[in-house]
Amino acid sequence: MGIKLAERIALHILEGPDAKAQALAEAILEMKAKVVFCEECFNYAEEPLCPICKDSTRQREQICVVEQARDVHLFEAAGGYKGLYHVLHGVLAPLDGVGPEELRLERLMERVERGSVSEVVLATSPTTEGEATALYIQKKLKPTGVKVSRIAYGLPVGSDLEYADLVTLSRSLAGRREMET
């Protein structure tokens, strides 16, 4: 949320009736009390399993590893991915005290070792920490024999090449694919 939006919301609450502010506060507290982590993927849920993990039509042999729960919502909104997820709730950041234990990586390994997973898609951000996290997970998964893939990086649709940074251009070339006819 941007500063301007937060400012508008705050002013709206301050200028509105007390009852409306009270109802909003109660709704926030109720949400905080009801929402938990999914026992399987660590997405947010109102029950032990989130709707995605409960969905029997999902491709259970694929797990997409994301940094935050909001990333799940982005992939779902984009469509196309029909597998399961694993939400890290962060990235490796040793200087900030975030190690593998805080990212629930052992639970990811348990899911893979159950034997039904054939591919893990690493969808962490292309930051230094995101890349380090993806590399760490790849090394941990290598002995399992599961296929480990990384999301492609490239240029946003509708953008001009002149505005792209050099790393994005380089990665978009490395991740190129043949055009279908």
Side-chain angles (χ1 to χ4, degrees), residues 38-116:
C38 173
E39 293 175 356
E40 188 71 11
C41 72
F42 301 100
N43 192 7
Y44 293 119
E46 292 185 42
E47 298 176 9
L49 291 178
C50 72
I52 294 172
C53 286
K54 287 190 333 189
D55 185 349
S56 62
T57 66
R58 301 297 290 218
Q59 296 172 356
R60 300 203 165 300
E61 66 278 359
Q62 285 184 324
I63 296 176
C64 181
V65 178
V66 296
E67 292 177 18
Q68 302 294 338
R70 69 178 163 260
D71 300 331
V72 171
H73 300 287
L74 289 172
F75 278 105
E76 289 298 295
Y81 180 72
K82 300 298 179 200
L84 301 175
Y85 295 93
H86 187 84
V87 183
L88 299 173
H89 291 280
V91 289
L92 292 174
L95 296 177
D96 296 327
V98 180
E101 308 79 33
E102 287 74 32
L103 302 183
R104 300 171 180 88
L105 293 176
E106 286 306 314
R107 288 295 304 263
L108 174 63
M109 295 302 295
E110 289 171 15
R111 292 175 74 187
V112 169
E113 289 168 357
R114 283 186 217 148
S116 61

Side-chain angles (χ1 to χ4, degrees), residues 175-181:
R176 69 187 179 276
R177 58 185 169 89
E178 186 176 341
M179 292 180 68
E180 298 174 14
T181 55

Side-chain angles (χ1 to χ4, degrees), residues 10-29:
L11 289 173
H12 181 75
I13 292 169
L14 288 171
E15 293 168 357
D18 289 348
K20 199 171 186 181
Q22 182 67 36
L24 177 62
E26 289 171 9
I28 291 170
L29 290 172

